[in-house]
């Protein structure tokens, strides 16, 4: 039986969420805020529709032609074709497939297309920043892939190239994965390209976190460094709706398309593709400025936290080249404690395993990961990063009252209510 009280409670919780999160500094590195136009797309009629189908070549302007199984898709088809072309342009890809409904599913699509049961893959371990979908406990396991982690250099916070070469020669992976969720510096794709060719491995670059930086031309360019495939989410540094995509070279286009449909997906959540199409146009116009500001902000935040006494990783390397700042808070009670403390003051971050943590520390790992995508989209710059670092120091180092700090957070956020870098 429908319960009107629960219905009303759900509506009230939506309002509470919007009211509360509107007064928070959201610094989850994997989250972002979409523009009003993207939000409109997400609530549009496209969210009710199906457009299952196969790809049927391109027209003379290079737009995709679709062979759909249902009627009613004539407007949607035009939008998906535009979105594909824009994604190809932004990432320097020959072909884009926008069917995967999330980043993890994008990875599964690549595994389905390019590997067989029992094949081996190399990637980062979870502690060193690999995503669960790179490992046997998630998508790679579903495809029956055996995963071997790259040796990792803690000081560099990066893959150890020489040791990785040995591992690759020994394990002969079918796929070599790059990219991760704890991701401060570009990965050695070009350094390991030759060995990939030598053993006939595909390079799959998981850009879930850094897609907005790549599209804004402020991070490594995976295809020019030798990647065969880019898998990604569409909602982390890339400011689209939650979703996924696979970008590839021409010689893999058909395999990827068939793995996506009919291989893995039926409905591909058309409203997400429509929202993505809008965000791709925003990125074509504003992406460089947005990505540049993100990196300036993360560096400024890291420096300011460091100066106040936080143990920010990689000081000698300038802390970060991405949208993330990673802090070892093991001396302050651990990541769980600090993330919860920050939440009391409306600063939202996540606790994070650091490379030297064992998986048993997942509940209270050594680190916190701080991301600047959303505050950057709201127009904050270096001076606001210093203010935020000051508030974090008052909370975690000076043990000032969280309720009191919360008022400062609300006041700071009040000046930044409008999404920038959009039309
Ligand atoms: C977030 C993430 C994913 C998964 O993306 P979802 O859209 O959450 O499914 C995959 N790979 C990496 C590296 C990620 O950080």
């Amino acid at each position: 039986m429908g319960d009107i009280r629960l219905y009303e409670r759900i509506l009230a919780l939506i309002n509470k969420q919007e009211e509360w999160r509107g007064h928070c500094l959201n610094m989850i590195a994997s989250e972002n805020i979409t523009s009003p136009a993207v939000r409109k797309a997400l609530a549009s009629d496209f969210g009710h529709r199906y457009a299952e189908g196969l790809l049927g070549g391109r027209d003379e302007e290079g737009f995709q032609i679709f062979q759909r199984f249902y009627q009613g898709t004539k407007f949607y088809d035009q939008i998906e074709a535009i979105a594909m072309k824009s994604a190809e342009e932004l990432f320097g890809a020959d072909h884009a497939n926008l069917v995967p409904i999330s980043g993890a599913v994008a990875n599964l699509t690549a595994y389905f297309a390019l590997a067989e049961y029992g094949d081996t893959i190399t990637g980062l371990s979870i502690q060193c920043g690999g995503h669960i979908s790179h490992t046997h406990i998630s998508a790679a396991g579903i495809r029956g892939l055996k995963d071997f982690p790259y040796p990792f250099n803690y000081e560099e916070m990066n893959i150890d190239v020489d040791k990785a070469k040995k591992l690759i020669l020994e394990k002969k992976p079918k796929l070599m994965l790059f990219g991760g969720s704890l991701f401060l510096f570009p990965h050695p794709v070009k350094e390991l390209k030759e060995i990939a060719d030598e053993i006939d491995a595909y390079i799959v670059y998981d850009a879930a976190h850094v897609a907005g930086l790549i599209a804004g031309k402020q991070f490594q360019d995976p295809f020019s460094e030798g990647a065969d495939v880019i898998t990604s989410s569409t909602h982390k540094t890339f400011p689209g709706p939650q979703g996924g995509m696979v970008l590839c070279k021409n010689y893999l286009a058909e395999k990827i398309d068939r793995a996506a449909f009919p291989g893995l997906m039926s409905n591909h959540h058309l409203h997400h593709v429509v929202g993505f199409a809008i965000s791709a146009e925003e990125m074509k116009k504003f992406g460089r400025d947005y990505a540049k500001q993100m990196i300036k902000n993360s560096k400024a935040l890291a420096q300011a936290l460091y100066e106040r006494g936080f143990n920010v990783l990689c000081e000698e390397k300038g802390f970060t080249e991405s949208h993330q700042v990673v802090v070892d808070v093991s001396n302050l009670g651990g990541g769980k404690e600090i993330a919860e403390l920050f939440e009391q003051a409306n600063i939202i971050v996540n606790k994070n395993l650091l490379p030297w943590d064992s998986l048993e520390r997942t509940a209270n790992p050594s680190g916190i990961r701080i991301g600047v995508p959303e505050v950057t989209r709201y127009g904050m710059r270096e001076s606001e990063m210093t203010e935020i670092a000051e508030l974090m120091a008052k909370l975690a180092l000076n043990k000032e009252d969280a309720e009191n700090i919360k008022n400062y957070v609300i006041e700071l956020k009040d000046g930044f209510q409008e999404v920038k870098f959009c039309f």
Side-chain angles (χ1 to χ4, degrees):
M1 260 211 317
D3 185 334
I4 188 74
R5 285 165 311 171
L6 290 183
Y7 171 81
E8 280 168 356
R9 193 159 130 204
I10 294 163
L11 295 186
L13 286 167
I14 295 173
N15 288 337
K16 280 186 180 172
Q17 166 79 1
E18 303 246 313
E19 153 75 15
W20 177 47
R21 290 303 226 113
H23 293 102
C24 286
L25 292 169
N26 184 54
M27 304 192 82
I28 302 280
S30 55
E31 293 180 3
N32 210 326
I33 185 100
T34 50
S35 67
V38 171
R39 293 184 74 154
K40 185 168 172 217
L42 290 177
S44 72
D45 180 65
F46 290 113
H48 306 135
R49 306 301 159 206
Y50 269 84
E52 282 180 334
L54 295 169
L55 308 186
R58 303 255 175 154
D59 68 15
E60 63 276 12
E61 285 180 272
F63 287 112
Q64 186 64 52
I65 301 162
F66 297 93
Q67 296 170 347
R68 301 294 192 195
F69 290 90
Y70 296 179
Q71 298 313 118
T73 65
K74 63 183 177 189
F75 297 125
Y76 175 71
D77 287 353
Q78 294 178 48
I79 296 175
E80 186 168 341
I82 293 169
M84 287 173 70
K85 251 184 107 174
S86 296
E88 286 152 11
E89 185 182 323
L90 283 167
F91 294 91
D94 295 337
H95 181 71
N97 186 299
L98 303 177
V99 171
I101 52 174
S102 78
V105 175
N107 281 335
L108 190 54
T109 305
Y111 302 154
F112 203 72
L114 307 177
E116 302 291 332
Y117 251 79
D119 281 343
T120 58
I121 60 172
T122 51
L124 289 171
S125 70
I126 289 171
Q127 298 94 311
C128 295
H131 189 255
I132 43 172
S133 60
H134 301 172
T135 74
H136 56 275
I137 64 174
S138 169
I142 293 172
R143 190 62 178 147
L145 304 177
K146 298 195 204 89
D147 53 310
F148 293 96
Y150 294 122
F152 199 76
N153 181 323
Y154 296 168
E155 276 77 52
E156 299 287 318
M157 280 298 281
N158 214 325
I159 297 163
D160 184 318
V161 172
D162 291 329
K163 289 185 184 156
K165 281 183 182 165
K166 282 199 196 107
L167 175 83
I168 291 161
L169 282 178
E170 186 192 323
K171 301 297 180 193
K172 302 248 180 335
K174 188 74 168 285
L175 306 181
M176 288 164 50
L177 307 183
F178 293 92
S181 309
L182 191 73
F183 201 175
L184 294 172
F185 303 104
H187 281 167
V189 178
K190 57 177 182 294
E191 290 82 352
L192 293 168
K193 169 67 177 163
E194 202 180 305
I195 202 160
D197 288 343
E198 207 177 304
I199 62 157
D200 250 339
Y202 291 119
I203 293 182
V204 176
Y205 187 101
D206 182 342
H209 261 272
V210 293
L213 298 172
I214 294 171
K217 310 282 181 269
Q218 306 303 315
F219 206 66
Q220 67 190 140
D221 175 3
F223 282 124
S224 74
E225 292 191 23
D228 300 286
V229 173
I230 293 179
T231 59
S232 192
S233 306
T234 51
H235 51 268
K236 295 183 181 180
T237 51
F238 200 98
Q242 294 187 332
M245 62 180 159
V246 181
L247 307 149
C248 65
K249 298 280 200 184
N250 256 333
Y251 50 83
L252 296 176
E254 200 181 323
K255 280 188 176 171
I256 294 290
D257 289 344
R258 286 196 173 270
F261 180 85
L264 287 167
M265 252 75 52
S266 160
N267 187 329
H268 61 294
H269 300 186
L270 310 191
H271 51 321
H272 118 251
V273 179
V274 175
F276 173 82
I278 291 171
S279 62
E281 297 317 307
E282 293 167 355
M283 283 300 283
K284 277 157 71 181
K285 176 127 175 93
F286 306 102
R288 273 178 201 258
D289 291 341
Y290 158 59
K292 273 187 194 156
Q293 191 60 47
M294 248 188 304
I295 293 175
K296 281 188 199 164
N297 282 353
S298 63
K299 283 179 173 291
L301 179 66
Q303 180 68 36
L305 288 169
Y306 179 78
E307 284 168 6
R308 282 160 184 76
F310 281 100
N311 185 4
V312 186
L313 298 198
C314 294
E315 191 242 331
E316 312 77 51
K317 291 181 60 73
F319 303 110
T320 177
E321 295 292 332
S322 77
H323 60 299
Q324 299 184 2
V325 175
V326 182
V327 187
D328 184 340
V329 291
S330 52
N331 59 338
L332 298 169
K336 176 183 189 304
E337 189 118 330
I338 295 300
E340 286 176 359
L341 175 67
F342 283 7
E343 186 180 18
Q344 286 174 33
N346 282 14
I347 300 174
I348 313 296
V349 302
N350 66 276
K351 62 183 182 230
N352 218 102
L353 287 168
L354 299 182
W356 42 90
D357 286 343
S358 81
L359 279 183
E360 279 83 68
R361 288 211 56 174
T362 302
N364 187 16
S366 296
I368 54 169
R369 186 185 65 174
I370 312 173
V372 300
E374 186 162 324
V375 292
T376 305
R377 291 266 290 166
Y378 273 122
M380 292 190 184
R381 304 172 78 94
E382 291 93 317
S383 59
E384 285 78 33
M385 297 305 115
T386 309
E387 276 186 64
I388 292 171
E390 183 65 28
L391 294 171
M392 288 176 168
K394 284 180 172 166
L395 277 165
L397 304 179
N398 308 351
K399 308 283 175 209
E400 287 186 30
D401 178 43
E403 273 301 309
N404 191 26
I405 303 296
K406 181 162 114 182
N407 293 329
Y408 286 104
V409 169
I410 291 171
E411 203 181 302
L412 174 60
K413 182 64 187 17
D414 268 349
F416 298 88
Q417 291 296 324
E418 208 179 275
V419 181
K420 309 290 185 205
F421 305 106
C422 59
F423 292 103

